[in-house]
Amino acid sequence: DYRRPAQAAVVLGARVMPDGEASVVLADRVRTGVELYREGLVMTLVMSGGLEPDTGYDETAVMRALAVQEGVPAADILVDPGGTSTTATVTDTVGLFAERGIDAVLVVSHFYHLPRIKLAYERAGLEVYTVPASQSAIVPRTPENVAREVPALWIYYLRAALT
């Protein structure tokens, strides 16, 4: 957990349930971003996600609504609706940060995802600090998600090494 003062925190998306509610994983990520905001560590939250293929719900709209419900002013929340993958989030947000003069960034996701996120941002030329989402419940798919990250991290590492 590398939380520290920064200009913004990027909160990566996750599943929205069929009824339009945030999944436990998504809610935990948003609440961790809100916590960083409340602690005064960041002034802006960037919600990054995409459309749920099964339901059509926009992850970023659900994330933004949850953060506003938790007390973050809507004016302090930016959305990246094109964040359909880690690569897309990094590409979109690096451009957004350049436009807004943001160079100190925290990134929130689950612990197993953070090494790949950090590598992707470093490859894009931006140093970020990662903050693992606080987990409010045991997520049954965690072992599967961890197993998925192992080859994904190697792919990102090899892409960086070979270019």
Side-chain angles (χ1 to χ4, degrees):
D1 189 331
Y2 297 100
R3 67 183 66 208
R4 63 195 63 214
Q7 293 163 292
V10 178
V11 181
L12 276 82
R15 187 165 183 245
V16 174
M17 303 306 289
D19 64 359
E21 294 295 316
S23 64
V24 171
V25 170
L26 184 59
D28 286 345
R29 290 179 184 183
V30 172
R31 286 190 189 105
T32 301
V34 169
E35 183 181 297
L36 297 171
Y37 182 88
R38 281 188 186 146
E39 291 174 0
L41 293 174
V42 298
M43 301 174 295
T44 303
L45 294 177
V46 180
M47 305 301 185
S48 183
L51 290 178
E52 284 290 326
D54 298 336
T55 63
Y57 284 112
D58 180 349
E59 291 173 5
T60 62
V62 172
M63 296 165 76
R64 182 184 188 130
L66 183 55
V68 168
Q69 180 182 329
E70 294 283 330
V72 178
D76 292 343
I77 304 169
L78 304 175
V79 295
D80 166 32
T84 56
S85 68
T86 302
T87 301
T89 293
V90 170
T91 300
D92 292 352
T93 58
V94 165
L96 180 71
F97 299 148
E99 290 171 9
R100 295 179 175 261
I102 296 172
D103 57 8
V105 179
L106 302 176
V107 182
V108 177
S109 189
H110 277 70
F111 71 93
Y112 49 80
H113 192 197
L114 297 177
R116 184 162 56 101
I117 293 168
K118 184 153 183 68
L119 181 63
Y121 272 108
E122 285 176 354
R123 183 171 183 233
L126 185 65
E127 183 176 1
V128 300
Y129 294 95
T130 55
V131 178
S134 300
Q135 292 187 234
S136 62
I138 294 172
V139 179
R141 292 187 59 182
T142 297
E144 178 183 321
N145 292 336
V146 170
R148 187 189 83 191
E149 283 301 314
V150 173
L153 180 61
W154 275 104
I155 290 167
Y156 273 61
Y157 175 78
L158 291 172
R159 276 189 203 151
L162 298 174
T163 57

